[in-house]
Amino acid sequence: MRNFLLVLVLFYTHLGYSQYTTQQIENINSTLTKLHEQAMFNGVVLIAQDGKALYKKAFGIANIQTQESLTPNSSFNLASVSKQFVAMMTMILKEQGKLQFDDKVKKHLPNFPYDKITIRQLLTHTSGLPEYFDLATQYTNTLDTLNNEKLVKLLTDLKPELEFESGSEWEYCNTGYALLASIIEKVSSMKIEDFFSKYITQPLHLTNTFVYSLNIKSPLSLKTQRAYGFERQNGRNYPNDLTRFDGIVGDGNIYSSVEDLLIYEQALYTNKLVSKETLQEAFIPVKLKKGETYNYGFGWEISDDEETLSHTGSWVGFENYIERNITKKTTVIILSNGTNDIAIDLVNTILSGKKPKIPTTQLIRNVKLIDGTGSVARKADVRLKDDKIWEIGNLTTFSNEENVDGQGFVLSPGFIDTHSHHFGGLTKVPEAIPAVSQGITTIVIGQDGSSYPMDTLKKFIKKRPIAVNIATYTGHSTLRSETMGAKSLYRTAKPSEIEKMKILLKKELEKGSFGLATGLEYESAFFSNREEVLQLAQVVAENGGRYMSHIRSEDINLDDAIDEIIEIGRKTKIPVQISHIKIAKKDQLGKSPQLLARLQKARAEGINITADCYPYDFWNSTLRVLFPNRDYTNPISAEFAVNQLFDPERSVLVRFAPNKSYAGKTITAIAKERNEKPSQTLMNLIAIAADFEEKNPNFNEGIEAIMGKSMDEADVANFLRWSHTNICSDGSSSGHPRGHGTFTKILGRYVREQKLMPLETAIYKMTGLSAENLGISDRGIIANGNFADLVLFNPDTVIDNANIQDGKALSTGIERVWVNGQIVYQSQKATGKYSGILIKKQSNSDE
């Protein structure tokens, strides 16, 4: 039968009878077949021309418990496609002289608490009534099956405020159609199922069309073709059918088949049910009070050219669609009971002459899943659909599906580097090897107060695709430079300048910046005062952003710096994060417990303060940070730096443009070479670098940088263990080994070797907690619907190999890395896939 129907289609199309080509129909058949094979479509599709079926085919089952197959006669809960039938019954009553479209609802339902709402406004969704789902959820309990009578009483008792003045706006409203059902029963003095049968199904000889709800007592067993809704969850089918709201009739709960719907739809070209004059009112866009119109009639959506009438229907497991082109005389009907509406979009895409994009699935099987929540690892398979995670569990491979054997390795979310400087290397290496080779799939930039505009980043990725995701904060120092000028940063900002900064910041936040990032220890921001930062942070609060800071001091003024970020969190009530938390003064080493207790106390007060941290006891920065008072020629300050702020014997000059031979040497070694004390060498190096900068104003690379040894390993461990600390690298594509090895060092040395924390906790601190501290809800956890940023690694071998001598050595043990569903790294090399995107701050509506 099915093959015959397809042959019939080809016959009609070859004769030129059909509006659709042979290729289009073949594409629809192959697309639906593939969707069904991949568990993305379960339903029946009918395409007709002048009432003759060009394509009619059923895919899948009507009942997951009996495994009964669907047929073209199967009756589906039409959900909102039911509305056209309710509108038709209203029109029939109008022709019987029992009501008028502009009657007040109160005329027929005397207890209805709104005097001005009309039947026409119920039909056209212009009544302003609130959704009954919301009212019932709030004011009834889960044991209470709702029905139309209870709904009217709910409105009468509560009289909720209208969403807008009746007739002034359009807003889809199921409540209106439920009320129409009550009016139909009241005016006709018949139960709605009886009226429906007498005036619609019997005259049209519809054998698979009926009204059914939890409050209708006719035995459903008589309706042998009834399809039951279900949904697929993690490879298994579960019932998804009627709920306690399904005692209501009117907005849904009319059942029909594709064959009956075609008969009904064709009857709309005749006078079998109502006159053409009455019916025409259903196809006219509703006119609002101010004169504008909206393309909706009586239970039908209307195209701009008024040639196409359509409606969707979505409820529990049902996803339905009907479309009729009254000029071309074509009909498209799609009924699904499998909780998936993708077939509707793809069929319409093909019929409009476009190429459909069928989702691509990928199965990652045989893995030890650590999902990023901190939960215990478990054995599972993970299926991806395009760029997202679709299913998790014991899964079976689809036909011709790409699959990856995880060999029992760990599959975790991609690591999110909340403080990164890797962006600078993406121009030359868009494969992002330093990041992805250690499992990083998202880098967060704009740190330490220096950022790029959102528009610049957007253009950059469009021009040169990259293999890693980017998110950004707006840099405080960048705002100061744009507002005050690069040579005027060594002072506090004027009120007028702060106002300009606030305007610039607001624009960036509106474009998707995650918030404000400050580098208060650096000269470009050091001379700002608290008030300046606080005013900018208030703009962030007003725009739903966050605050992250390389605090004003990590050594001699650490207490004041911590007090400042806590004050910002307290006054603005936004989340605040300390960048790469550390203690860098020798006589304060070992005091991490006291610092963490202070942060925990702030959290107990309601201040959402968090931190990120990298697993090294030496930092990477400019020589100038070793002079907290910015007195670079003061011998006393230089001596203090040598004795308290870093160890010159273990601190290596990474880069020194004026004399490249110094790179890779310790400060002590350079001092011996220069026949100076380390403190004198420190001052001289800063002076030489400043002179070089003045003589080379267009020098684009960093002039000097040092890897300074000044932290205590026990403090680093304590900071890493704090429950609100996530992992970051603060790394770049060159220099400090953290740029290539942060995350693998955690996994290999801190977890496997030192057992500082369980593997699940470490992964959480690299993924789920990182996402939480950034305000990202769709990454960082392996969960259905989240983006497929993933890392497959061998927990027994994963290790960092980068060190001071070879800062670019790649990690080992990272087997594969997915970014937005595409493998960007495997077998220790890039795959040539560039699937990274610019991640924007999620608004409340996005979340």
Side-chain angles (χ1 to χ4, degrees):
M1 179 64 173
R2 292 176 182 175
N3 291 335
F4 171 73
L5 287 171
L6 190 54
V7 170
L8 187 64
V9 171
L10 303 182
F11 175 73
Y12 279 133
T13 53
H14 280 309
L15 288 179
Y17 176 84
S18 173
Q19 291 288 335
Y20 304 122
T21 67
T22 301
Q23 188 62 55
Q24 283 175 311
I25 299 300
E26 288 179 339
N27 285 348
I28 287 173
N29 188 60
S30 62
T31 296
L32 293 173
T33 299
K34 185 171 183 180
L35 288 177
H36 178 62
E37 289 174 349
Q38 295 182 334
M40 294 184 214
F41 179 65
N42 191 93
V44 186
V45 175
L46 183 148
I47 300 170
Q49 174 88 49
D50 287 323
K52 296 181 175 62
L54 301 179
Y55 180 83
K56 181 170 56 176
K57 193 169 181 179
F59 298 83
I61 55 177
N63 188 326
I64 62 172
Q65 294 179 337
T66 65
Q67 292 296 301
E68 177 187 355
S69 296
L70 286 171
T71 74
N73 293 318
S74 296
S75 299
F76 291 74
N77 186 335
L78 297 180
S80 286
V81 175
S82 302
K83 290 180 171 65
Q84 61 182 283
F85 289 105
V86 175
M88 176 56 71
M89 286 186 276
T90 306
M91 288 186 280
I92 291 171
L93 287 169
K94 187 260 187 186
E95 289 211 335
Q96 291 177 356
K98 295 181 179 179
L99 59 75
Q100 298 297 319
F101 297 140
D102 293 313
D103 284 351
K104 299 293 191 292
V105 173
K106 197 174 182 67
K107 176 180 177 181
H108 304 288
L109 300 176
N111 292 329
F112 187 65
Y114 306 95
D115 295 333
K116 297 182 180 179
I117 295 177
T118 66
I119 289 175
R120 186 185 298 275
Q121 290 166 350
L122 299 183
L123 287 164
T124 56
H125 299 300
T126 57
S127 69
L129 287 166
E131 280 289 4
Y132 73 81
F133 303 115
D134 301 328
L135 294 174
T137 299
Q138 185 170 358
Y139 294 103
T140 65
N141 64 62
T142 55
L143 298 177
D144 190 2
T145 299
L146 199 64
N147 60 31
N148 294 63
E149 183 181 353
K150 290 179 180 178
L151 170 57
V152 174
K153 188 175 188 306
L154 201 61
L155 292 172
T156 301
D157 292 344
L158 297 174
K159 195 177 181 180
E161 184 178 351
L162 296 179
E163 301 291 333
F164 51 83
E165 180 188 357
S166 301
S168 65
E169 299 180 32
W170 186 94
E171 185 173 295
Y172 196 86
C173 180
N174 290 285
T175 309
Y177 273 79
L179 289 169
L180 285 169
S182 295
I183 292 171
I184 290 166
E185 290 193 330
K186 182 68 178 296
V187 170
S188 68
S189 299
M190 296 174 65
K191 292 181 178 180
I192 191 168
E193 60 267 30
D194 295 333
F195 188 90
F196 182 63
S197 176
K198 180 176 180 178
Y199 291 103
I200 294 181
T201 64
Q202 291 180 26
L204 298 181
H205 306 291
L206 306 180
T207 57
N208 301 302
T209 303
F210 53 89
V211 179
Y212 176 76
S213 79
L214 295 178
N215 291 307
I216 293 177
K217 302 303 181 182
S218 59
L220 193 59
S221 59
L222 297 178
K223 318 296 183 181
T224 56
Q225 300 291 334
R226 200 265 220 205
Y228 290 78
F230 69 92
E231 63 180 323
R232 180 182 171 96
Q233 294 180 4
N234 296 325
R236 296 180 60 189
N237 292 332
Y238 297 89
N240 187 19
D241 202 59
L242 303 180
T243 76
R244 72 184 185 93
F245 295 133
D246 285 306
I248 292 281
V249 173
D251 58 326
N253 285 325
I254 292 178
Y255 287 69
S256 190
S257 66
V258 294
E259 292 187 337
D260 274 8
L261 281 175
L262 180 61
I263 294 171
Y264 170 78
E265 185 268 337
Q266 287 297 298
L268 300 182
Y269 291 105
T270 71
N271 296 314
K272 289 181 180 179
L273 298 177
V274 292
S275 67
K276 290 184 178 180
E277 291 76 18
T278 297
L279 183 61
Q280 188 57 35
E281 288 208 58
F283 306 147
I284 299 174
V286 58
K287 189 172 184 179
L288 304 177
K289 284 189 174 180
K290 292 183 180 179
E292 67 269 31
T293 59
Y294 191 90
N295 286 357
Y296 196 94
F298 295 176
W300 289 96
E301 297 172 10
I302 305 166
S303 63
D304 288 340
D305 58 12
E306 300 188 18
E307 289 186 359
T308 303
L309 306 168
S310 64
H311 213 287
T312 57
S314 176
W315 179 245
V316 289
F318 296 91
E319 297 287 346
N320 308 312
Y321 179 75
I322 183 169
E323 175 187 294
R324 56 193 307 261
N325 187 301
I326 56 179
T327 300
K328 298 177 180 178
K329 299 296 189 293
T330 57
T331 312
V332 178
I333 302 169
I334 303 171
L335 302 179
S336 170
N337 60 326
T339 324
N340 199 314
D341 63 357
I342 189 170
I344 296 172
D345 293 333
L346 293 184
V347 168
N348 281 327
T349 297
I350 295 169
L351 293 180
S352 66
K354 300 175 183 177
K355 185 177 181 180
K357 184 182 183 304
I358 303 173
T360 300
T361 67
Q362 181 183 166
L363 182 65
I364 308 169
R365 57 186 177 83
N366 186 26
V367 297
K368 184 179 182 181
L369 183 66
I370 299 181
D371 63 13
T373 66
S375 299
V376 175
R378 65 189 190 273
K379 185 178 179 180
D381 307 317
V382 176
R383 174 169 280 122
L384 314 183
K385 181 162 62 176
D386 290 339
D387 59 352
K388 292 187 177 180
I389 297 161
W390 181 22
E391 297 182 323
I392 306 163
N394 184 12
L395 307 176
T396 302
T397 305
F398 294 144
S399 175
N400 300 317
E401 181 179 37
E402 178 185 356
N403 71 86
V404 173
D405 183 357
Q407 303 178 60
F409 294 150
V410 169
L411 184 72
S412 79
F415 306 147
I416 300 174
D417 190 353
T418 58
H419 188 123
S420 171
H421 298 280
H422 285 100
F423 181 76
L426 294 178
T427 301
K428 294 182 179 179
V429 187
E431 295 82 5
I433 293 296
V436 297
S437 63
Q438 56 177 308
I440 297 170
T441 56
T442 296
I443 62 173
V444 184
I445 63 175
Q447 308 298 354
D448 299 327
S450 179
S451 66
Y452 298 91
M454 288 294 296
D455 289 343
T456 299
L457 294 173
K458 184 178 180 181
K459 291 176 182 177
F460 174 87
I461 294 178
K462 184 177 181 180
K463 182 178 180 180
R464 184 61 180 101
I466 55 178
V468 68
N469 300 317
I470 297 174
T472 188
Y473 280 71
T474 299
H476 174 217
S477 298
T478 298
L479 295 174
R480 297 187 101 236
S481 181
E482 290 186 23
T483 302
M484 302 166 63
K487 295 184 178 180
S488 301
L489 300 177
Y490 310 112
R491 61 174 174 81
T492 58
K494 300 173 183 177
S496 60
E497 292 169 333
I498 295 176
E499 290 304 313
K500 291 179 181 178
M501 281 189 259
K502 289 163 69 174
I503 293 171
L504 291 173
L505 176 58
K506 186 176 187 296
K507 289 180 179 179
E508 288 299 294
L509 292 168
E510 290 172 345
K511 292 178 181 179
S513 166
F514 275 68
L516 176 69
T518 59
L520 299 175
E521 195 172 28
Y522 298 105
E523 292 97 327
S524 54
F526 180 79
F527 295 94
S528 65
N529 55 31
R530 285 195 186 189
E531 181 60 23
E532 175 184 325
V533 180
L534 189 58
Q535 286 196 44
L536 292 173
Q538 190 59 52
V539 174
V540 174
E542 293 166 0
N543 289 272
R546 292 165 179 255
Y547 177 77
M548 186 179 289
S549 180
H550 177 135
I551 56 177
R552 208 172 286 272
S553 173
E554 296 169 331
D555 39 64
I556 64 173
N557 294 310
L558 178 59
D559 284 348
D560 287 342
I562 294 295
D563 182 73
E564 179 176 16
I565 193 169
I566 289 175
E567 180 188 10
I568 290 170
R570 178 183 292 114
K571 290 188 175 179
T572 63
K573 295 180 173 54
I574 60 174
V576 295
Q577 176 144 325
I578 301 171
S579 288
H580 45 60
I581 187 171
K582 66 173 71 75
I583 294 175
K585 186 168 179 281
K586 288 182 181 178
D587 63 10
Q588 293 179 341
L589 299 182
K591 294 186 177 181
S592 53
Q594 292 92 317
L595 175 54
L596 290 174
R598 187 176 176 188
L599 299 182
Q600 198 64 40
K601 181 181 178 181
R603 290 188 62 84
E605 295 172 7
I607 299 166
N608 186 1
I609 188 166
T610 58
D612 54 28
C613 184
Y614 53 74
Y616 297 87
D617 60 3
F618 55 98
W619 42 262
N620 188 96
S621 191
T622 171
L623 290 162
R624 295 189 301 275
V625 300
L626 291 167
F627 288 78
N629 295 322
R630 304 303 183 260
D631 50 349
Y632 308 121
T633 61
N634 187 338
I636 297 176
S637 295
E639 198 64 35
F640 178 82
V642 167
N643 293 325
Q644 281 289 329
L645 304 185
F646 81 120
D647 182 349
E649 292 186 3
R650 299 174 62 188
S651 300
V652 177
L653 199 62
V654 177
R655 179 173 57 252
F656 197 72
N659 186 340
K660 294 183 178 180
S661 68
Y662 287 170
K665 298 177 180 179
T666 67
I667 299 301
T668 297
I670 296 171
K672 288 181 180 179
E673 187 178 319
R674 293 173 59 87
N675 196 27
E676 298 172 341
K677 293 196 310 180
S679 59
Q680 184 63 47
T681 296
L682 182 61
M683 289 189 295
N684 288 338
L685 291 175
I686 291 174
I688 293 168
D691 181 65
F692 181 89
E693 182 177 17
E694 185 175 347
K695 292 178 180 179
N696 299 273
N698 297 320
F699 191 78
N700 294 324
E701 300 178 15
I703 295 172
E704 53 89 359
I706 182 177
M707 279 190 277
K709 172 65 178 74
S710 65
M711 293 176 279
D712 178 66
E713 178 66 26
D715 284 334
V716 173
N718 283 336
F719 289 138
L720 289 172
R721 271 193 293 250
W722 187 45
S723 57
H724 302 288
T725 299
N726 67 262
I727 309 302
C728 75
S729 77
D730 192 18
S732 63
S733 57
S734 61
H736 198 296
R738 65 194 178 190
H740 282 72
T742 289
F743 290 84
T744 45
K745 181 177 182 180
I746 290 284
L747 297 173
R749 305 191 192 279
Y750 282 80
V751 173
R752 188 176 63 243
E753 296 176 4
Q754 299 179 26
K755 304 190 186 309
L756 182 71
M757 64 185 76
L759 180 58
E760 291 88 345
T761 300
I763 296 298
Y764 167 63
K765 286 176 169 287
M766 299 174 176
T767 59
L769 182 60
S770 302
E772 179 183 337
N773 288 350
L774 291 168
I776 297 176
S777 63
D778 51 14
R779 298 178 194 268
I781 296 175
I782 297 179
N784 308 78
N786 277 4
F787 284 96
D789 295 341
L790 302 167
V791 178
L792 182 71
F793 67 89
N794 186 338
D796 298 325
T797 63
V798 65
I799 199 72
D800 64 310
N801 296 308
N803 52 42
I804 293 178
Q805 290 71 36
D806 185 4
K808 295 184 179 181
L810 296 184
S811 301
T812 48
I814 299 294
E815 301 294 327
R816 283 184 176 86
V817 178
W818 289 258
V819 174
N820 296 309
Q822 296 193 39
I823 299 175
V824 299
Y825 183 80
Q826 66 178 349
S827 304
Q828 294 289 107
K829 61 183 180 182
T831 64
K833 299 291 185 181
Y834 302 98
S835 52
I837 65 169
L838 177 62
I839 300 173
K840 298 180 181 180
K841 174 177 63 67
Q842 294 166 303
S843 66
N844 292 333
S845 59
D846 294 331
E847 296 171 356

